[in-house]
Amino acid sequence: MARRKANDESVKLFFMVAGVLLFLPFMFVSFFHYKKLKKNYFSTSNAQRVFDSAQLIKSILYSVGLITTTLIIMFYATSQLSGLVGPDYQKVILGLDAMLLALGIYPVCKLAQRVAVRYLGVIFNDDSNRMIIPVDLANASASENLRLQFLRRMGECEEISVKDITNITREKGVNFYIHGAFGSRQINFTNKQKRDECLMALQARTKVSRGGDLGY
């Protein structure tokens, strides 16, 4: 019993250290990626940014919740396995945990970049007459999802020429869609005020009238 308790404490310490080592890079990656995006897309004074600060909180909570849940599951799984095997195999289990955590660094970095992208919001660059939006991750084929393209593109923005937008539809809630030769893209916010602010900014730059609402 004493050995089991000591093993549990060792595993707990291991995952506490792992949590710190994951969360610190998460915040740094998110911060520096945001600075990079802002420099690339919002360096001109002739631009308008529509951002939703609640998206930052929502994205951080989602990412932190996902990372924490994963660590908790790994902790309990490791703790249970350590009680079933001998001391020699416990080091093997911790080694496998370390490998899994190392493999998880890339997804964690992508989650951090997504936080930065969501906080950047939507930008209207009047110099290039382009609209910069977060990549619509839902707008992907089954083969692209199988290749995990959504993971690679989590930290990216997409530039769309305003003149290529041929229709705008508003969905029930906080979403709206832009349509054109590029296909359709969903743009969402956490409240209707920010959604409508973005819609007004877009309509001020295009002659395209808003299409039929898909509910309100």
Side-chain angles (χ1 to χ4, degrees):
M1 183 65 70
R3 180 181 293 178
R4 172 69 181 274
K5 187 175 181 180
N7 288 335
D8 286 347
E9 288 299 320
S10 298
V11 172
K12 184 177 180 180
L13 179 62
F14 174 81
F15 280 101
M16 286 178 63
V17 173
V20 172
L21 293 177
L22 282 174
F23 284 124
L24 285 179
F26 179 90
M27 300 307 296
F28 279 113
V29 169
S30 186
F31 174 75
F32 286 110
H33 192 61
Y34 171 74
K35 298 289 286 185
K36 177 183 176 182
L37 292 172
K38 191 175 180 180
K39 181 180 179 181
N40 290 342
Y41 298 117
F42 198 54
S43 57
T44 175
S45 59
N46 195 22
Q48 180 182 354
R49 176 185 172 210
V50 181
F51 70 98
D52 185 354
S53 57
Q55 286 281 19
L56 175 65
I57 299 173
K58 181 180 176 182
S59 299
I60 289 176
L61 289 177
Y62 173 82
S63 301
V64 170
L66 186 61
I67 294 169
T68 303
T69 301
T70 301
L71 288 174
I72 290 173
I73 292 172
M74 289 181 66
F75 166 73
Y76 279 106
T78 301
S79 180
Q80 292 300 315
L81 287 173
S82 297
L84 297 175
V85 300
D88 293 337
Y89 290 99
Q90 290 172 4
K91 293 181 179 180
V92 175
I93 293 172
L94 288 177
L96 289 173
D97 285 336
M99 288 177 60
L100 290 173
L101 289 172
L103 290 173
I105 291 176
Y106 180 74
V108 167
C109 287
K110 286 300 176 180
L111 283 172
Q113 290 179 357
R114 189 63 178 177
V115 169
V117 168
R118 298 299 290 171
Y119 182 57
L120 183 72
V122 177
I123 293 175
F124 297 92
N125 188 324
D126 293 328
D127 289 335
S128 61
N129 198 30
R130 288 181 172 272
M131 181 181 186
I132 295 99
I133 63 173
V135 164
D136 184 4
L137 298 178
N139 188 33
S141 65
S143 62
E144 288 175 331
N145 286 330
L146 288 173
R147 296 197 305 271
L148 302 180
Q149 290 296 310
F150 66 90
L151 186 62
R152 182 182 63 82
R153 304 195 68 194
M154 287 181 77
E156 297 179 4
C157 292
E158 182 177 5
E159 295 186 64
I160 296 175
S161 177
V162 172
K163 65 181 178 60
D164 290 337
I165 300 173
T166 57
N167 195 18
I168 305 168
T169 53
R170 186 176 62 183
E171 187 186 52
K172 180 179 180 180
V174 293
N175 304 328
F176 74 91
Y177 297 83
I178 55 176
H179 313 274
F182 51 84
S184 295
R185 300 290 186 272
Q186 182 192 69
I187 301 171
N188 58 27
F189 295 91
T190 60
N191 60 74
K192 292 180 180 179
Q193 180 183 357
K194 285 296 180 180
R195 178 202 64 184
D196 291 345
E197 179 186 342
C198 190
L199 275 170
M200 294 302 103
L202 175 57
Q203 290 179 314
R205 292 168 170 80
T206 178
K207 296 180 180 179
V208 177
S209 60
R210 194 178 68 222
D213 290 348
L214 305 176
Y216 192 80

